[in-house]
Amino acid sequence: THYIHYDSYSKMVIYSSASILLFFVAQLSIFSSQFLTAINAQDLHEEKNLEELCAELVAGGHCRSNPDLIKRKCAKPCMNWQKSVRSTDTKNIHEDEPSFFDLSSKNATGSVINFRKFEGYVTIVANVAKLCEEGKTEEIYAEYTKIQQIWPYTVEFVIFTFEHPEIDYDAGADFCEPHKEAFKKQGRAINIMEEAKVNGLDSHPVYKYLKSTFDVDDLDLGIPTVFLITPDGEQIEVHLGPSAREIRKYIYLHLERDL
């Protein structure tokens, strides 16, 4: 197994890409009681201890999995982490190679969506963790919708839900009810697709295609990533750790160039 990484010159080294936007995919994980106690009790004057604690939390992926808690005292280290993982890469798709538009998938309500419908649009593919906290899933969908509504006739969003390994989904029968309600809601401007596995032999065909395009075995779920498919399907970009502003910029650049 290897991963896709990108250096500061946007060249691909080895590291993985996983969908989804740090700004939008704030994911709920179970913070350990030790970390919660430590960060809430930490004296602001104990700079050395706080710095060490924040470094441990950042290394553990909590900037992405529990941002509402960690931003209280570790906002700057998380901002630095976000900047450090931002990068991009592009692959050209030739005529004799499989096309993104040849794919299909069920949406959240079970209807089959033929990806040929996305031809002619700038298409964004992102995977969002299955979040069980009240309002979180709806909040993320709303952020994606806000961007799509800037260009409602030229941009499509294709959003897949996946079960994040850091979240305990067996916490109770009603634990994930808020997510289910948002997931099944109809009439959205963005495409909410079926729950998908992004890694492993039984990963979803869309992710098998995207991973093979960038020659990776597995996606690193700790790094938010967005895939951008051009209107003609002849290029696919992967954006690692982009902000909402950067995503809007990438879309704008392609609309200016390709349409």
Side-chain angles (χ1 to χ4, degrees):
T1 299
H2 59 277
Y3 298 96
I4 296 181
H5 182 63
Y6 309 95
D7 63 18
S8 59
Y9 299 96
S10 299
K11 293 180 180 178
M12 187 176 294
V13 188
I14 293 214
Y15 214 115
S16 164
S17 47
S19 77
I20 158 110
L21 286 170
L22 177 63
F23 181 81
F24 303 129
V25 289
Q27 302 173 351
L28 176 66
S29 66
I30 307 303
F31 237 156
S32 69
S33 59
Q34 296 97 319
F35 279 167
L36 278 174
T37 301
I39 201 166
N40 288 328
Q42 185 71 32
D43 189 330
L44 287 173
H45 297 292
E46 297 177 0
E47 295 182 2
K48 183 176 181 180
N49 289 339
L50 180 59
E51 183 178 343
E52 293 174 351
L53 176 61
C54 287
E56 188 173 355
L57 293 172
V58 170
H62 292 288
C63 293
R64 185 172 182 237
S65 63
N66 225 319
D68 292 339
L69 290 172
I70 199 173
K71 72 180 181 182
R72 296 176 191 171
K73 297 182 180 180
C74 302
K76 187 174 181 180
C78 280
M79 287 176 62
N80 291 336
W81 170 82
Q82 182 180 9
K83 291 178 181 178
S84 72
V85 300
R86 288 178 183 168
S87 51
T88 188
D89 192 65
T90 302
K91 290 290 186 180
N92 293 321
I93 309 300
H94 303 290
E95 289 185 6
D96 59 342
E97 296 179 314
S99 170
F100 174 80
F101 302 130
D102 294 332
L103 300 170
S104 64
S105 173
K106 290 182 179 180
N107 64 13
T109 59
S111 298
V112 176
I113 304 298
N114 189 321
F115 283 16
R116 189 60 60 180
K117 69 171 284 188
F118 301 129
E119 193 168 5
Y121 295 84
V122 172
T123 303
I124 300 293
V125 177
N127 55 335
V128 175
K130 183 178 178 180
L131 304 177
C132 300
E133 183 180 351
E134 183 72 40
K136 278 295 183 182
T137 297
E138 190 61 48
E139 178 183 332
I140 294 170
Y141 292 167
E143 292 290 356
Y144 280 115
T145 302
K146 189 183 300 182
I147 296 179
Q148 194 275 337
Q149 289 298 287
I150 299 173
W151 303 282
Y153 306 111
T154 51
V155 177
E156 290 278 6
F157 276 80
V158 181
I159 311 301
F160 285 92
T161 296
F162 71 99
E163 291 195 349
H164 197 286
E166 293 182 6
I167 300 177
D168 178 13
Y169 294 103
D170 297 322
D174 299 327
F175 175 61
C176 240
E177 199 60 36
H179 164 79
K180 292 178 183 178
E181 292 179 6
F183 182 64
K184 295 291 186 181
K185 183 178 177 180
Q186 299 187 41
R188 296 187 186 275
I190 58 176
N191 299 277
I192 307 300
M193 311 308 290
E194 63 187 336
E195 188 172 309
K197 290 187 177 181
V198 298
N199 290 331
L201 295 176
D202 56 346
S203 58
H204 193 281
V206 171
Y207 286 98
K208 285 184 178 180
Y209 173 81
L210 293 171
K211 289 187 293 183
S212 67
T213 298
F214 289 92
D215 194 26
V216 292
D217 297 324
D218 285 320
L219 302 180
D220 182 354
L221 301 180
I223 300 176
T225 303
V226 165
F227 293 94
L228 184 153
I229 295 85
T230 58
D232 57 12
E234 293 181 2
Q235 280 190 344
I236 298 179
E237 295 178 355
V238 58
H239 297 283
L240 198 64
S243 65
R245 181 179 179 180
E246 288 171 326
I247 288 300
R248 291 196 299 269
K249 179 185 73 174
Y250 299 141
I251 293 173
Y252 175 78
L253 290 174
H254 278 284
L255 290 176
E256 288 290 298
R257 188 194 76 179
D258 301 330
L259 292 178

